[in-house]
């Protein structure tokens, strides 16, 4: 079952601008993860944030988590053409080996 | 190099045929997953396995079968009972500690087409 919802479904920005994607979920989680998928390829893990963390950074990526609102955001700063991809959030519920996926945000970076 | 390998990359199936998609990992992960992805959509869980010789149905298991005889291998069979099998299939593996999932590692996918 899918509990994550990404917003927006699609985002097109100019190279160099920042891109922000949001994810909402419904149940209590142990952690939330963001992945990137280039067209026709497998998914690549970007960052994992635990339920007791509020913010995490990795290079040009910044992820925030608000468990009271059951939401997360992924910020990509100084976007590049190579960032063009679909981005998915996935939540890891407590005491469950599944990952629950959102439908993804398709990001297009215009040169 | 450690990783997860899916084969074949492209697969064509005739009506009424069963086909098997391969997934192998050398990451020593306990948990393995099969997902289906349709164009422009997210991932839907077909089956998952937390340990050898055990697996559970996901949200769309009908028309699919799996086995987990070895820790490294989790093949998926798409049976003739699956009426609309054309899709992109992704295999993943992960560690699990205390009942939750750490990061998942994905294969490059198998694109299955019914001809």
């Amino acid at each position: 079952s899918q509990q994550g919802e990404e917003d927006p479904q699609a985002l097109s920005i100019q190279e160099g601008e920042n891109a922000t994607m949001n994810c909402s979920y419904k149940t209590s989680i142990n952690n939330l993860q963001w992945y990137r998928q280039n067209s026709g390829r497998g998914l690549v893990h970007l960052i994992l944030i635990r339920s007791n963390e509020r913010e995490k950074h990795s290079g040009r990526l910044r992820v925030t988590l608000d468990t009271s609102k059951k939401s997360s955001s992924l910020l990509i700063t100084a976007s590049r053409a190579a960032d063009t991809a679909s981005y998915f959030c996935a939540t890891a519920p407590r005491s469950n080996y599944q990952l629950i996926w959102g439908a993804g945000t398709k990001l297009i970076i215009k040169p | 190099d450690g990783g997860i390998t899916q084969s074949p990359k492209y697969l064509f199936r005739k009506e009424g045929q069963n086909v098997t998609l391969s997934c192998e990992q050398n990451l020593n992960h306990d948990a393995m997953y099969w997902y289906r992805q349709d164009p422009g959509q997210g991932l839907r869980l077909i089956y998952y396995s937390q340990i050898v010789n055990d697996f559970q149905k996901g949200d769309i298991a009908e028309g699919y079968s799996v086995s987990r005889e070895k820790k490294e291998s989790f093949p998926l069979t798409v049976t003739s009972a699956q009426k609309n099998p054309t899709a992109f299939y992704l295999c993943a593996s992960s560690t699990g500690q205390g009942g939750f999932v750490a990061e998942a590692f994905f294969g490059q996918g198998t694109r299955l087409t019914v001809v």
Side-chain angles (χ1 to χ4, degrees), chain A residues 1-2 30-31 33 35 37 40-43 45 48 50 88 92 95-99 101-103, chain B residues 33 35 37 41-45 48 50 59 88 90 96 99-104 106-108 111:
Chain A
S1 57
Q2 292 192 335
N30 180 280
N31 66 67
Q33 304 175 30
Y35 290 79
Q37 183 182 33
R41 307 294 296 273
L43 280 72
H45 182 265
L48 180 153
R50 301 186 190 283
F88 293 90
S95 300
N96 189 315
Y97 274 97
Q98 294 188 44
L99 280 174
W101 296 86
Chain B
Y33 308 82
Y35 294 97
Q37 187 178 34
Q41 303 295 314
L43 278 65
R44 292 189 289 168
L45 182 65
Y48 68 104
Q50 297 175 201
D59 300 316
F88 190 51
L90 287 160
F100 66 89
V101 179
E103 68 175 283
F106 282 80
Q108 289 302 303
R111 189 166 300 281

Side-chain angles (χ1 to χ4, degrees), chain B residues 27-87:
Chain B
L27 299 167
N28 199 34
H29 286 168
D30 287 316
M32 296 188 74
Y33 308 82
W34 273 106
Y35 294 97
R36 170 177 171 145
Q37 187 178 34
D38 292 286
Q41 303 295 314
L43 278 65
R44 292 189 289 168
L45 182 65
I46 304 173
Y47 271 98
Y48 68 104
S49 169
Q50 297 175 201
I51 198 168
V52 174
N53 292 324
D54 189 41
F55 47 83
Q56 287 78 41
K57 293 182 179 180
D59 300 316
I60 57 165
E62 185 175 352
Y64 301 97
S65 66
V66 294
S67 63
R68 186 86 187 276
E69 297 176 1
K70 299 186 299 181
K71 190 175 186 177
E72 301 79 16
S73 179
F74 191 42
L76 173 74
T77 296
V78 183
T79 74
S80 57
Q82 172 48 240
K83 297 306 177 189
N84 184 24
T86 294

Side-chain angles (χ1 to χ4, degrees), chain A residues 60-105:
Chain A
R60 293 184 295 112
L61 306 181
R62 187 186 82 155
V63 169
T64 61
L65 179 65
D66 186 336
T67 53
S68 67
K69 295 182 179 178
K70 292 186 168 60
S71 68
S72 173
S73 67
L74 169 67
L75 168 68
I76 303 174
T77 61
S79 63
R80 305 168 182 170
D83 295 328
T84 293
S86 291
Y87 292 81
F88 293 90
C89 73
T91 53
R94 298 183 185 279
S95 300
N96 189 315
Y97 274 97
Q98 294 188 44
L99 280 174
I100 311 298
W101 296 86
T105 292

